[in-house]
Amino acid sequence: MPGFEVFGDEERKQVNEVLDSGILMRYGFDGMRNNHWKAKEFEIAFADRMQSKHCQLVSSGTSALTVALASAGIGEGDEVIMPTFTFVASFESILMLGAVPVIVDIDDTLTMDPIAVEAAITPKTRCVMPVHMCGSMADLKALKDICITHNLLLLEDACQALGGTYEGKPLGSYGDLGCFSFDFVKTITCGEGGAVLTNNDKYAINADQYQDHGHDHIGNDRGEEAHLYMGYNFRISELNAAVGLAQLEKLDVILQLQKRNYEIIRNVLETVEGVTFRRVPEGGVENYSFLNFFLPNGELTQKVHKALSENGVDACFYWYTNNWHYIDGWEHLRNLKTLGNVSSKFRNQIQKLNETDFSKSDAVISRTISSLIKIGWTVEEVKVRAEKMKAVIISAL
Ligand SMILES: *Cc1c(COP(=O)(O)O)cnc(C)c1O
């Protein structure tokens, strides 16, 4: 998955153009910047590639989620439904706005189960936030139908699935809003950065203003700009945007190589009895950044994961015991540990996570192993890896 594997002269050239002008900020300094507007250029190119009307670049994927929620008017007490298997950014962005994360089970797609979503809806629910984990998507059609029926916002976290599609549309462009990360380990990277996609003009204007202290960006004197609403600073810098522009050019090649490497391993593992694969919803195409598979039970899965690493098969993840991506690891959230005060009103609104039954998610995630798919592997290297994985799994089962 990581775009940093293909850094080269293209990134260097883009960054040097910014350094040569000396203008590292995306706004203002019109006369001094040699006409370089890297953030603006990236936004136009990314919106175009993702078949969306608007793109707002920001400083990270986490801030993209925050800005997306804020732009749609999510605020105190609003409930946002998110899955048990994701990255901590999901609840961080929700809590940032005083909204309430409501966590629901995943199914064998490794993303939120639409039935669990429907069961979690209350009069306070405002938004459903599926997370397209490890290169493939949630059942977006089912989720969209639920959102339409209950008048909810559909916000896709596509940070780990850039380049995947659903019903022919790029992931992140299907919902009301879509979010991406360009952090250092993502499919394309600019060091730190993120993006919000939307076709909604109002959300786009709100996002543009919110991520820059509420500036309305009208006229060409920053000091004279009006501020209709309070915002924050989630801006991206020109240096980061410049790297992103060069990486975006490489996206299609990255996706091709991922698909090639994924298919070599998958074809070998398909022949192993006891190995099954993550379900991809009908109409979906993965971005092939991970190959995700299931083993018959948790105990065997742990045994295989250990054996893979002992036999030199690197970059295989067992999320069940990983403290970043699965609810079991979020002790700080489950016990609402914060640096400052949290009102008792808010404490009472928060889901009692220690008392909620997530055994359905446990049953899926305890049997899951995800192999990262690297771009830089040669065909020969992938073949060797695939055969090694097969041998290790067979001997462990
Ligand atoms: C990486 C990631 C994020 C957050 O992105 P950052 O740029 O690191 O803040 C959010 N959600 C998911 C699913 C991610 O993988």
Side-chain angles (χ1 to χ4, degrees):
M1 160 154 99
F4 71 71
E5 291 182 68
V6 293
F7 273 151
D9 288 342
E10 302 78 10
E11 284 77 3
R12 222 167 279 125
K13 177 171 177 289
Q14 285 286 351
V15 171
N16 281 336
E17 285 181 2
V18 176
L19 290 175
D20 288 345
S21 77
I23 304 304
L24 311 187
M25 188 181 181
R26 68 165 298 177
Y27 298 115
F29 304 93
D30 298 25
M32 296 161 67
R33 56 195 310 142
N34 296 343
N35 245 335
H36 291 310
W37 301 88
K38 300 299 184 189
K40 194 75 238 158
E41 208 183 314
F42 189 176
E43 283 170 347
I44 292 165
F46 195 66
D48 182 55
R49 173 65 178 77
M50 303 307 291
Q51 300 171 30
S52 287
K53 199 165 165 195
H54 306 283
C55 167
Q56 177 65 54
L57 282 183
V58 289
S59 53
S60 71
T62 310
S63 42
L65 292 166
T66 307
V67 169
L69 290 167
S71 73
I74 302 290
E76 187 182 320
D78 293 336
E79 292 180 359
V80 179
I81 299 177
M82 56 165 274
T84 50
F85 178 48
T86 175
F87 179 58
V88 292
S90 304
F91 60 79
E92 286 172 345
S93 59
I94 297 165
L95 291 170
M96 186 77 147
L97 295 165
V100 177
V102 174
I103 302 183
V104 299
D105 275 322
I106 57 160
D107 59 21
D108 59 347
T109 63
L110 297 182
T111 66
M112 60 177 30
D113 175 2
I115 297 167
V117 170
E118 194 130 43
I121 293 170
T122 76
K124 287 186 172 161
T125 309
R126 289 280 316 280
C127 175
V128 177
M129 189 199 276
V131 184
H132 306 316
M133 285 298 280
C134 303
S136 179
M137 77 267 6
D139 186 343
L140 283 169
K141 169 83 171 65
L143 293 176
K144 193 173 229 174
D145 288 347
I146 292 170
C147 287
I148 290 169
T149 305
H150 297 273
N151 193 25
L152 307 173
L153 199 72
L154 182 60
L155 193 170
E156 292 173 76
D157 178 340
C159 292
Q160 290 194 14
L162 171 59
T165 61
Y166 183 77
E167 293 179 350
K169 290 195 179 73
L171 295 177
S173 73
Y174 188 90
D176 299 290
L177 292 143
C179 292
F180 293 88
S181 163
F182 308 119
D183 82 19
F184 195 56
V185 296
K186 295 302 202 278
T187 304
I188 65 174
T189 179
C190 61
E192 300 284 359
V196 180
L197 293 181
T198 186
N199 291 321
N200 182 302
D201 297 342
K202 185 67 191 148
Y203 298 164
I205 292 170
N206 289 346
D208 171 60
Q209 298 182 352
Y210 184 76
Q211 57 88 41
D212 185 24
H213 305 292
H215 275 272
D216 70 1
H217 299 141
I218 292 171
N220 56 5
D221 182 350
R222 203 168 153 77
E224 291 298 310
E225 289 174 8
H227 311 83
L228 281 177
Y229 307 103
M230 287 191 281
Y232 205 78
N233 179 2
F234 289 115
R235 290 189 307 260
I236 195 166
S237 89
E238 283 288 276
L239 284 172
N240 297 85
V243 178
L245 261 177
Q247 286 263 296
L248 185 57
E249 291 280 319
K250 302 180 179 182
L251 176 60
D252 289 321
V253 172
I254 290 173
L255 294 171
Q256 271 167 27
L257 290 170
Q258 285 182 171
K259 181 166 194 261
R260 181 197 74 187
N261 293 347
Y262 171 109
E263 281 175 349
I264 293 171
I265 303 177
R266 174 141 184 169
N267 287 339
V268 171
L269 295 194
E270 294 264 10
T271 65
V272 182
E273 197 168 332
V275 174
T276 52
F277 297 88
R278 172 234 202 116
R279 179 167 61 87
V280 177
E282 206 185 311
V285 178
E286 301 181 64
N287 84 344
Y288 306 102
S289 55
F290 286 87
L291 175 63
N292 308 277
F293 57 95
F294 304 122
L295 293 162
N297 62 55
E299 208 175 311
L300 282 173
T301 311
Q302 239 160 322
K303 190 173 159 201
V304 166
H305 179 249
K306 193 157 166 275
L308 284 168
S309 128
E310 283 167 0
N311 285 277
V313 181
D314 67 345
C316 284
F317 299 95
Y318 185 59
W319 309 110
Y320 192 39
T321 52
N322 170 302
N323 64 2
W324 279 110
H325 291 283
Y326 190 60
I327 187 164
D328 280 15
W330 307 333
E331 203 261 341
H332 57 337
L333 172 69
R334 284 186 283 110
N335 298 311
L336 207 57
K337 286 189 184 163
T338 54
L339 285 172
N341 286 330
V342 174
S343 74
S344 54
K345 181 175 169 229
F346 193 76
R347 259 177 211 286
N348 291 332
Q349 282 175 334
I350 284 278
Q351 188 183 14
K352 305 278 178 287
L353 290 170
N354 287 321
E355 293 154 34
T356 310
D357 175 17
F358 291 115
S359 54
K360 273 182 125 176
S361 300
D362 291 342
V364 174
I365 213 78
S366 65
R367 297 191 300 112
T368 304
I369 293 177
S370 302
S371 163
L372 184 69
I373 301 296
K374 289 192 188 164
I375 309 159
W377 288 333
T378 64
V379 168
E380 208 38 52
E381 283 168 340
V382 190
K383 283 184 177 162
V384 169
R385 179 185 176 92
E387 290 303 331
K388 211 179 217 177
M389 288 175 79
K390 177 178 175 176
V392 168
I393 295 169
I394 288 173
S395 79
L397 295 186

